[in-house]
């Protein structure tokens, strides 16, 4: 039986983000599939605009936990809803859908939004456990349906993505910590 996780995630966002979003962007591939919304929150993370997906959880592959994504950024916010929705649809609608997990990546952002990729020198998304949120933010409880997950999406440079693919997530996360990387800083230099 399929469960609509939308209400559980709406309640989760309202609890942690203290209210309704400041804006909502809706994306739909076709009328046969559910839309993915990208919600915008302007007062959750100081100096950043936070984007949160809603509806990606409905695409969870069989056996995978439902998941949604947050992506706080300090710049380039106008492009993020389209980039994020495009990435999530790409993962969800492949012949073998990809479930997000800690360490998942998706490159090719230069094809989705060339101006963003060029300006910020970021060409991939990295999915990890949420930074800067209370521990309980990472799990979403739905009555009688189990536990959903929250992930943080952060933008990576081409070099960072290559390093991650070669050395795997643990080494990459150690590199982020060693270099003191702010995952919300879209304008930051590559850490490798």
């Amino acid at each position: 039986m399929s469960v609509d996780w939308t209400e559980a995630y709406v309640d989760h966002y309202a609890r942690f983000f203290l209210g309704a979003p400041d804006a909502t962007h809706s994306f739909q591939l076709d009328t046969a599939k559910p839309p993915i919304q990208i919600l915008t929150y302007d007062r959750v993370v100081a100096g950043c605009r936070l984007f949160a997906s809603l509806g990606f959880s409905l695409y969870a592959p069989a056996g995978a936990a439902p998941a949604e994504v947050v992506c706080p950024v300090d710049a380039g916010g106008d492009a993020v809803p389209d980039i994020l929705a495009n990435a999530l649809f790409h993962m969800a609608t492949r012949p073998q859908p990809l479930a997000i997990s800690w360490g998942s990546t998706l490159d090719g952002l230069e094809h989705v939004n060339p101006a963003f990729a060029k300006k910020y020198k970021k060409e991939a998304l990295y999915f990890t456990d949420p930074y800067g949120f209370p521990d309980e933010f990472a799990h979403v409880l739905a009555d009688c349906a189990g536990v959903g997950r929250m992930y943080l999406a952060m933008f990576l440079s081409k070099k960072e993505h290559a390093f991650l693919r070669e050395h795997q997530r643990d080494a990459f996360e150690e590199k982020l910590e060693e270099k003191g990387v702010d995952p919300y800083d879209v304008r930051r230099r590559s850490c490798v």
Side-chain angles (χ1 to χ4, degrees), residues 131-155:
Y131 286 74
F133 294 91
D135 290 343
E136 59 270 17
F137 178 73
H139 299 93
V140 179
L141 304 176
D143 294 338
C144 302
V147 179
R149 288 291 319 243
M150 288 299 313
Y151 290 96
L152 175 83
M154 69 180 280
F155 290 97

Side-chain angles (χ1 to χ4, degrees), residues 147-167:
V147 179
R149 288 291 319 243
M150 288 299 313
Y151 290 96
L152 175 83
M154 69 180 280
F155 290 97
L156 300 184
S157 70
K158 190 173 193 171
K159 287 181 180 181
E160 288 169 331
H161 188 248
F163 179 91
L164 175 62
R165 291 178 66 101
E166 182 178 342
H167 299 285

Side-chain angles (χ1 to χ4, degrees), residues 22-27 38-42 48-51 71-86 112-117 119-120 155 186-187:
D22 296 296
T24 301
H25 307 272
S26 189
F27 300 87
I38 305 298
L39 311 177
T40 304
Y41 296 88
D42 290 326
C48 293
R49 177 170 280 173
L50 181 136
F51 298 94
C71 183
V73 294
D74 65 346
D78 292 343
V80 174
D82 186 55
I83 292 170
L84 199 53
N86 190 296
V112 176
N113 192 311
F116 180 92
K119 181 174 182 176
Y120 299 107
F155 290 97
V186 178
R187 295 172 284 209

Side-chain angles (χ1 to χ4, degrees), residues 27-176:
F27 300 87
Q28 191 156 15
L29 291 177
D30 62 54
T31 56
K33 294 183 173 85
I36 291 178
Q37 297 177 62
I38 305 298
L39 311 177
T40 304
Y41 296 88
D42 290 326
R43 293 173 295 282
V44 174
V45 178
C48 293
R49 177 170 280 173
L50 181 136
F51 298 94
S53 68
L54 183 63
F56 181 64
S57 56
L58 302 176
Y59 288 90
E68 296 289 354
V69 174
V70 293
C71 183
V73 294
D74 65 346
D78 292 343
V80 174
D82 186 55
I83 292 170
L84 199 53
N86 190 296
L88 296 176
F89 274 128
H90 177 76
M91 295 175 81
T93 61
R94 295 169 47 108
Q96 294 287 338
L98 298 174
I100 287 182
S101 62
W102 174 45
S104 300
T105 64
L106 184 66
D107 63 350
L109 300 184
E110 69 276 12
H111 302 296
V112 176
N113 192 311
F116 180 92
K118 182 178 180 182
K119 181 174 182 176
Y120 299 107
K121 296 178 178 58
K122 301 295 184 285
E123 298 181 5
L125 278 173
Y126 174 62
F127 300 97
T128 186
D129 291 328
Y131 286 74
F133 294 91
D135 290 343
E136 59 270 17
F137 178 73
H139 299 93
V140 179
L141 304 176
D143 294 338
C144 302
V147 179
R149 288 291 319 243
M150 288 299 313
Y151 290 96
L152 175 83
M154 69 180 280
F155 290 97
L156 300 184
S157 70
K158 190 173 193 171
K159 287 181 180 181
E160 288 169 331
H161 188 248
F163 179 91
L164 175 62
R165 291 178 66 101
E166 182 178 342
H167 299 285
Q168 301 303 317
R169 69 182 184 208
D170 290 331
F172 180 67
E173 297 242 346
E174 286 174 16
K175 179 67 75 175
L176 293 174

